[in-house]
């Protein structure tokens, strides 16, 4: 009997099934791609290694009718490459050829534009070029004007300049300084016009911020008006600027963020009426700061605020923020306000009344409406009795900044802040530029405990403390560092504000300065040094700009 046994032949697993055939096909395609990639890599290595190979390849491409070099890339690919580069590298890359330069100002590459300008005639052609290219499509525009470093030899018109040159010399110097200030103001108006003209028809604009640091002119209103009347005697330029600003508001279709701070006579009490109801209803941030508005005029009223039902952050002069506005913001048709920045300026307090400000019940209602509401206050030269009226217990105060030129902050105010706002306070800035030959004021005079130490002890969320122009005792500074530890992210105290006890100075075995640095660094858990040069502190040299930038970041951090 014969038995025939068949032995099966090996085959790829799953070859006779559809799924198996698909796997085999994918495996073959993958192997083919790898082989092609290896051949391409070998070819490239060979071309790099052979001299003249690149030129022969370019000649073959030219014979075949193909363009060679960077100019052959399509515009879409160049724009895609530019999108990965920072702005400086993008500008350098655009210099390679005219085709790349044409792709530089593609709208997708410049969704936002942030410009910081010195008020100088040299800036005007550069600004005109940039705004001509980007002004019609940019979605976020932030422009800052500053007269810093433009004038030399004095702080403002009529300042002596620092050296005693006699009556005749002072008059000549004052005249030269006056001429330069006229040039600053004239250039400022031209630059503002350049910006506004370029974006007047931009309907894509979503965020628009303007800041003008002409603070020396604005410290005395009559002086500003005098210089402005010389530069623009018939007021045509100012009227043109105001009309352009209103035209931008009326033409806007997507505006969500409007911020205007310390701009000389650009916003009027009627400017916001140019906004359509549809845009006002969707606006999320509104900032109108100008301490140069005459009399009792305000840039926004409670009636106008009723249109801004979607407002999440607001920045105003404190005297303009009335009890009626607080009531409007607590209405059920308004979304909860989350950030409120208030500027308290001595000029406003002198010309406007504090009688209409919100009382403690209004602040309680606002806090009930929005549990995440936080307030940022900056006070310029405000008397202690006025601050006692302003600082209501129910304000959810997160940041406060005192800047003094005439009136110093008292220890009682610091103690009040530490007791009332211990659950919210994160930033405390105390700056004093009062010239007093007797020395800096001591907040701990006639007190058992230093108010600054109590502030650090009570305010457990304190992360920033900056002090200049007030006496800070070395042992108190060490106590502050130990109390807050690594939670205090920034401790800025100028060297000239720090003082030592006689006992510390009498100890010959220990260097008091070295011991202070060592103990504070140990308490903070990071290296620390006192601020040696007060001019390096922008919060001191440029308080307006510092407040404006902090207000912007404070409002964006929602």
């Amino acid at each position: 009997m014969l038995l025939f046994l068949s032995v099966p032949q090996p085959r790829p697993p799953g070859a006779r099934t559809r799924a198996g055939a698909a796997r085999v096909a994918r495996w073959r395609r993958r192997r083919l791609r790898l082989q092609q990639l290896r051949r391409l890599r070998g070819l490239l290595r060979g071309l790099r290694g052979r001299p003249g190979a690149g030129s022969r390849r370019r000649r073959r491409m030219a014979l075949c009718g193909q363009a060679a070099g960077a100019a052959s890339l399509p515009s879409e690919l160049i724009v895609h490459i530019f999108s990965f580069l920072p702005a400086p590298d993008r500008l350098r890359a655009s210099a390679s050829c005219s085709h790349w330069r044409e792709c530089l100002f593609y709208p997708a590459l410049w969704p936002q534009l942030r410009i910081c300008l010195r008020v100088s005639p040299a800036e005007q052609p550069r600004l005109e070029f940039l705004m001509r290219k980007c002004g019609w499509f940019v979605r976020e525009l932030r422009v800052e004007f500053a007269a810093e470093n433009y004038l030399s030899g004095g702080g403002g018109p009529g300042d002596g300049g620092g050296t005693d040159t006699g009556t005749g010399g002072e008059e000549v110097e004052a005249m030269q300084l006056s001429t330069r200030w006229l040039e600053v103001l004239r250039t400022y108006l031209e630059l503002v016009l350049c910006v506004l003209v370029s974006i007047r028809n931009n309907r894509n604009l979503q965020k628009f911020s303007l800041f003008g640091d002409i603070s020396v002119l604005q410290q005395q209103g009559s002086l500003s008006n005098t210089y402005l009347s010389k530069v623009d005697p018939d007021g045509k330029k100012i009227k043109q600027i105001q009309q352009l600003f209103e035209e931008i508001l009326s033409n806007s279709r997507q505006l969500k963020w409007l911020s205007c701070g310390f701009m000389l006579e650009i916003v009027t009490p009627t400017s916001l009426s140019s906004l359509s109801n549809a845009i006002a209803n969707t606006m999320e941030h509104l900032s109108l700061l100008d301490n140069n508005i005459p009399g009792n005029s305000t840039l926004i009223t409670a009636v106008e605020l009723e249109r801004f039902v979607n407002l999440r952050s607001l920045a105003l002069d404190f005297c303009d923020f009335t009890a009626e506005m607080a009531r409007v913001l607590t209405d059920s048709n308004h979304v909860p306000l989350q950030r409120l920045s208030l500027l308290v300026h001595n000029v406003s307090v002198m010309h406007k009344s504090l009688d209409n400000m919100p009382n403690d019940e209004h602040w309680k209602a606002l806090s009930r409406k929005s549990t995440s509401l936080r307030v940022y206050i900056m006070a310029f030269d405000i008397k202690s009795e006025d601050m006692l009226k302003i600082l209501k217990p129910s304000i959810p105060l997160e940041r406060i900044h005192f800047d003094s030129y005439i009136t110093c902050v008292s220890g009682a105010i610091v103690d009040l802040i530490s007791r009332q706002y211990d659950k919210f306070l994160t930033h405390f800035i105390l700056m004093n530029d009062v010239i007093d030959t007797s020395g800096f004021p001591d907040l701990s005079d006639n007190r058992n405990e230093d108010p600054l130490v109590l502030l650090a002890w009570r305010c457990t969320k304190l992360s920033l403390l900056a002090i200049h122009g007030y006496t800070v005792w070395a042992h108190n500074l060490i106590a502050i560092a130990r109390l807050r530890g690594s939670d205090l992210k920034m401790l800025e105290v100028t060297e000239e504000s720090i003082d030592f006890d006689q006992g510390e100075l009498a100890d010959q075995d220990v260097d008091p300065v070295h011991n202070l640095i060592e103990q504070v660094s140990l308490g903070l858990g990071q290296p620390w040094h006192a601020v040696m040069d007060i001019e390096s502190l922008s919060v001191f040299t440029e308080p307006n700009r510092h407040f404006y930038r902090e207000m912007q970041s404070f409002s964006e951090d929602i």
Side-chain angles (χ1 to χ4, degrees):
M1 183 175 182
L2 297 175
L3 293 177
F4 295 93
L5 298 177
S6 62
V7 180
Q9 296 298 319
R11 65 175 183 270
R16 289 191 179 181
T17 64
R18 291 187 178 181
R23 284 196 295 271
V24 171
R26 284 197 299 271
W27 175 76
R28 287 173 178 169
R29 286 196 300 269
R30 193 179 300 117
R31 189 174 65 173
L32 182 60
R33 283 198 297 267
L34 288 173
Q35 290 173 351
Q36 291 173 345
L37 183 60
R38 290 193 191 99
R39 283 198 296 267
L40 180 59
R41 286 175 178 171
L43 178 62
L44 289 174
R45 281 195 294 268
L47 288 174
R48 292 194 193 102
R50 286 183 296 171
S55 60
R56 286 196 297 272
R57 181 172 175 271
R58 282 194 295 271
R59 282 197 298 270
R60 287 198 299 270
M61 290 178 65
L63 290 174
C64 295
Q66 300 178 12
S72 65
L73 296 176
S75 300
E76 292 80 4
L77 183 56
I78 298 172
V79 170
H80 185 65
I81 294 171
F82 279 170
S83 66
F84 293 97
L85 300 177
D89 293 340
R90 200 180 297 167
L91 292 171
R92 282 191 287 269
S94 67
S96 61
C97 64
S98 59
H99 181 43
W100 282 48
R101 194 156 49 248
E102 291 170 1
C103 299
L104 176 63
F105 292 104
Y106 192 79
L109 296 174
W110 304 94
Q112 60 181 14
L113 199 59
R114 299 187 179 187
I115 309 170
C116 186
L117 293 167
R118 289 183 305 110
V119 181
S120 165
E123 298 282 5
Q124 189 166 350
R126 292 193 285 263
L127 179 64
E128 288 177 350
F129 171 79
L130 190 60
M131 296 309 300
R132 186 173 65 252
K133 292 288 186 180
C134 301
W136 60 277
F137 62 77
V138 67
R139 293 180 179 273
E140 178 184 344
L141 179 62
R142 182 178 296 182
V143 185
E144 294 184 7
F145 301 95
E148 58 188 5
N149 300 327
Y150 186 75
L151 302 178
S152 58
D159 244 355
T163 56
D164 187 7
T165 56
T167 306
E170 289 179 358
E171 290 178 356
V172 171
E173 190 169 357
M175 188 177 298
Q176 291 175 349
L177 196 58
S178 174
T179 303
R180 282 180 284 171
W181 268 115
L182 288 173
E183 182 62 27
V184 165
L185 196 51
R186 187 178 293 108
T187 306
Y188 166 78
L189 295 179
E190 292 294 335
L191 294 178
V192 173
L193 276 171
C194 174
V195 171
L196 298 183
V197 167
S198 65
I199 63 171
R200 64 194 302 180
N201 296 317
N202 184 347
R203 300 198 172 194
N204 296 319
L205 196 62
Q206 297 177 3
K207 298 180 74 171
F208 184 35
S209 301
L210 286 174
F211 170 77
D213 188 15
I214 315 296
S215 54
V216 178
L217 290 174
Q218 288 188 336
Q219 281 175 8
Q220 303 179 36
S222 60
L223 193 60
S224 296
N225 295 332
T226 302
Y227 276 77
L228 196 58
S229 62
K230 291 180 180 178
V231 172
D232 188 25
D234 51 3
K236 286 185 177 180
K237 283 190 177 180
I238 288 295
K239 290 178 182 176
Q240 185 182 0
I241 287 173
Q242 293 171 353
Q243 290 172 358
L244 282 169
F245 186 73
E246 293 178 3
E247 187 178 347
I248 291 167
L249 298 187
S250 62
N251 289 337
S252 63
R253 294 295 180 269
Q254 303 182 41
L255 195 63
K256 304 289 185 184
W257 180 292
L258 178 62
S259 181
C260 193
F262 308 104
M263 296 294 293
L264 192 61
E265 300 203 26
I266 183 173
V267 185
T268 66
T270 60
S271 295
L272 289 182
S273 60
S274 303
L275 280 171
S276 65
N277 286 331
I279 295 300
N281 291 340
T282 58
M283 188 81 72
E284 296 178 358
H285 171 83
L286 181 63
S287 170
L288 299 175
L289 300 168
D290 189 355
N291 53 40
N292 210 39
I293 299 298
N296 292 321
S297 301
T298 58
L299 296 178
I300 184 172
T301 62
V303 176
E304 187 71 44
L305 190 62
E306 290 179 353
R307 297 199 299 155
F308 296 84
V309 295
N310 202 43
L311 212 59
R312 287 173 169 78
S313 59
L314 177 65
L316 292 175
D317 188 289
F318 184 85
C319 295
D320 293 346
F321 186 68
T322 61
E324 184 62 22
M325 281 190 177
R327 185 199 62 76
V328 168
L329 292 172
T330 56
D331 285 346
S332 58
N333 62 329
H334 276 254
V335 301
L337 189 71
Q338 299 188 41
R339 295 291 183 269
L340 178 61
S341 302
L342 298 170
L343 174 68
V344 194
H345 202 287
N346 63 334
V347 175
S348 298
V349 173
M350 282 191 299
H351 293 94
K352 301 176 183 179
S353 174
L354 291 174
D355 297 336
N356 297 323
M357 66 179 178
N359 58 31
D360 200 50
E361 292 301 319
H362 292 116
W363 285 110
K364 287 180 180 178
L366 276 171
S367 298
R368 283 195 300 269
K369 171 77 174 181
S370 174
T371 56
S372 59
L373 174 64
R374 296 295 179 265
V375 178
Y376 178 17
I377 292 179
M378 180 169 187
F380 276 100
D381 261 331
I382 304 299
K383 298 177 181 177
S384 294
E385 53 266 28
D386 290 329
M387 286 305 303
L388 290 173
K389 297 177 185 177
I390 291 168
L391 295 174
K392 304 299 183 188
S394 298
I395 299 177
L397 185 66
E398 184 178 283
R399 305 182 183 195
I400 190 162
H401 177 179
F402 291 99
D403 198 274
S404 304
Y405 294 90
I406 302 171
T407 307
C408 294
V409 176
S410 65
I413 295 296
V414 178
D415 186 61
L416 178 69
I417 290 170
S418 67
R419 283 188 285 106
Q420 291 188 167
Y421 312 117
D422 55 314
K423 295 180 181 178
F424 303 104
L425 194 70
T426 62
H427 290 56
F428 186 81
I429 299 175
L430 200 57
M431 294 288 136
N432 174 30
D433 198 24
V434 178
I435 300 175
D436 189 352
T437 55
S438 62
F440 292 149
D442 186 359
L443 297 174
S444 61
D445 263 354
N446 302 319
R447 290 175 175 269
N448 294 328
E449 297 292 342
D450 184 80
L452 294 172
V453 176
L454 291 175
L455 181 86
W457 175 55
R458 291 168 176 159
C459 302
T460 56
K461 294 184 178 180
L462 190 68
S463 61
L464 185 148
L465 179 62
I467 304 169
H468 168 71
Y470 294 87
T471 299
V472 182
W473 295 98
H475 61 273
N476 288 334
L477 194 57
I478 294 172
I480 290 170
R482 289 174 177 174
L483 282 167
R484 290 276 50 87
S486 59
D487 293 335
L488 189 59
K489 304 301 181 184
M490 188 172 294
L491 177 61
E492 292 185 331
V493 183
T494 55
E495 183 194 27
E496 52 191 315
S497 301
I498 301 173
D499 206 347
F500 296 87
D501 288 333
Q502 291 300 320
E504 294 174 319
L505 295 175
D507 189 356
Q508 300 295 326
D509 298 332
V510 179
D511 180 2
V513 176
H514 178 75
N515 182 64
L516 172 66
I517 294 173
E518 183 180 3
Q519 293 299 322
V520 172
S521 300
L522 190 63
L524 296 177
Q526 61 180 342
W528 177 88
H529 291 278
V531 178
M532 306 299 291
D533 182 14
I534 184 59
E535 297 300 321
S536 64
L537 274 181
S538 63
V539 65
F540 176 77
T541 56
E542 300 174 290
N544 283 354
R545 184 191 296 271
H546 177 85
F547 171 67
Y548 186 76
R549 289 181 175 177
E550 286 295 305
M551 178 272 296
Q552 296 273 88
S553 62
F554 177 66
S555 300
E556 290 171 344
D557 184 26
I558 297 177

